Amino acid sequence: MASSERQEGILLPSVNGKTRILGVFGFPVEHSLSPAMHNAAIAALGLNYLYIPFSVLPEDIGPAIRSVVSLGIIGVNLTIPHKERVLPFLDRIAPEALAVGAVNTVHNDNGQLVGYNTDGEGFAGPLNELGFGLRGKRAVVLGAGGAARSVVFRLARENAAVTIVNRTLERAERLAEEARIATDFVRGGARVSCLDFCDRAGLRDALAGAELLVNTTSVGMSPHDGDLPPIPPQAFHPALFVYDLIYNPRETRLMAEARAAGCRTLNGVRMLAWQGAAAFEIWTGVRPDVCVMEAAVEQQLGGR
Ligand code: NAP
């Protein structure tokens, strides 16, 4: 067996006729951190479950997701490229996932496939835990892709004032409009505006009054660790919390510069563990220890 295929530090669970199956559908799926994270939670709780990675081609998502019912699989996570494609094949979709337009968790509820999106909880949970409530905050969100959608919808629901900053401005404008429509129940309407990634003066002004900066772009992600979103110098201030959803590297250049300017910072590892814990609870009814899941992620990342 090649050393890259060797199981390092992973205790294999005992599988028997009563073992219940969970998993992740992705393509590619080899680099997913979810199997280590969920199997660690299962082991810590002593449950008879097993979480397996499934390599599912984009065009196979329909039959693959229906096989969750026929094989009696309890639930699966979905990662690239299935999060949007899976929607037509589900029986029910939870309101947050419907608003975001993407599903990262499917539960086989007695033969009914129910879709959820736990990224919003994954994003907000670690902040709440640190005593940083989102309600009414002023936030700047870099990016308008998949991760940004969960972040912006969650912020808008919390009546935060959000500025979306994106390289492709039309994409930011579309997301802002969708967030306004989806949260028109928020008193006074959702306060969402947009900026071009290159509008340095606009960005400086937005950050001057902001309490939260969230990077949802892949700028600064390994192997491009030296890259930095175009934050103007002096835009960081100690009242700004800088949350980078990237988890590899553990400290991005954005986080390092913010920390040097006195900002509190957080990377994406805790979010990954929180969204996983929320999915785990949907499937099993048991809330796992998020610290166990986080430690499993850290252990996997340690080898990268
Ligand atoms: P995505 O849908 O592909 O969106 C990527 C975003 O980054 C878009 O807004 C894109 O702008 C922007 N972008 C990419 N390259 C850029 C560049 N060179 N300059 C400026 N903007 C650039 O990806 P995603 O799924 O949202 O993931 C984005 C990041 O979030 C990744 O680093 C991912 O690891 C992280 N993430 C973390 C978690 C977690 O649990 N911690 C969960 C989900 C995602 P355009 O619209 O102009 O293309």
Side-chain angles (χ1 to χ4, degrees):
M1 187 191 284
S3 67
S4 61
E5 293 170 1
R6 229 173 263 142
Q7 295 286 310
E8 278 162 15
I10 297 173
L11 291 174
L12 289 176
S14 55
V15 174
N16 55 37
K18 293 182 180 165
T19 301
R20 284 172 285 182
I21 302 299
L22 303 168
V24 54
F25 289 0
F27 191 82
V29 79
E30 288 77 12
H31 299 291
S32 173
L33 299 168
S34 294
M37 183 168 77
H38 284 281
N39 284 318
I42 291 166
L45 287 163
L47 299 176
N48 193 1
Y49 282 83
L50 181 64
Y51 187 105
I52 300 170
F54 294 95
S55 179
V56 175
L57 287 168
E59 60 270 28
D60 289 340
I61 188 59
I65 202 70
R66 295 312 310 179
S67 75
V68 164
V69 175
S70 50
L71 295 173
I73 292 171
I74 302 297
V76 289
N77 283 130
L78 298 164
T79 186
I80 292 170
H82 302 307
K83 285 182 175 190
E84 291 92 21
R85 288 167 175 266
V86 77
L87 265 74
F89 304 104
L90 301 176
D91 299 303
R92 295 198 307 275
I93 300 170
E96 186 162 353
L98 202 57
V100 171
V103 160
N104 75 341
T105 302
V106 172
H107 180 215
N108 174 4
D109 182 13
N110 294 312
Q112 293 269 301
L113 291 173
V114 189
Y116 298 86
N117 192 313
T118 64
D119 280 339
E121 185 174 343
F123 158 69
L127 289 173
N128 287 330
E129 183 176 65
L130 292 170
F132 188 98
L134 294 175
R135 184 140 292 273
K137 288 280 193 313
R138 282 160 297 175
V140 174
V141 176
L142 304 177
R149 295 183 66 81
S150 295
V151 169
V152 168
F153 278 101
R154 178 54 67 113
L155 285 165
R157 223 178 72 185
E158 297 284 350
N159 204 17
V162 188
T163 305
I164 307 170
V165 186
N166 199 42
R167 179 177 61 179
T168 311
L169 187 58
E170 306 82 66
R171 201 174 181 194
E173 283 165 347
R174 265 202 311 277
L175 172 54
E177 186 53 21
E178 285 178 50
R180 283 187 210 108
I181 292 167
T183 52
D184 62 1
F185 58 86
V186 173
R187 204 179 315 157
R191 299 171 291 157
V192 190
S193 57
C194 302
L195 278 178
D196 189 285
F197 218 62
C198 298
D199 182 352
R200 292 171 78 85
L203 189 51
R204 192 186 52 229
D205 290 348
L207 285 171
E211 292 126 318
L212 178 66
L213 170 65
V214 189
N215 178 35
T216 76
T217 75
S218 42
V219 178
M221 188 167 80
S222 178
H224 304 288
D225 305 30
D227 290 357
L228 181 68
I231 306 293
Q234 282 91 46
F236 295 115
H237 54 85
L240 185 68
F241 191 116
V242 177
Y243 189 176
D244 199 328
L245 303 196
I246 290 173
Y247 43 80
N248 190 19
R250 265 20 147 270
E251 185 176 65
T252 59
R253 206 174 140 204
L254 174 71
M255 290 171 64
E257 301 222 347
R259 186 168 53 84
C263 301
R264 285 207 287 168
T265 63
L266 182 65
N267 68 19
V269 172
R270 197 83 180 155
M271 170 170 170
L272 196 63
W274 265 84
Q275 63 77 28
F280 192 98
E281 190 173 2
I282 288 168
W283 297 323
T284 66
V286 180
R287 185 75 185 175
D289 185 345
V290 80
C291 294
V292 166
M293 300 179 89
E294 185 179 21
V297 170
E298 290 286 4
Q299 192 188 9
Q300 294 288 301
L301 288 172
R304 293 188 182 179

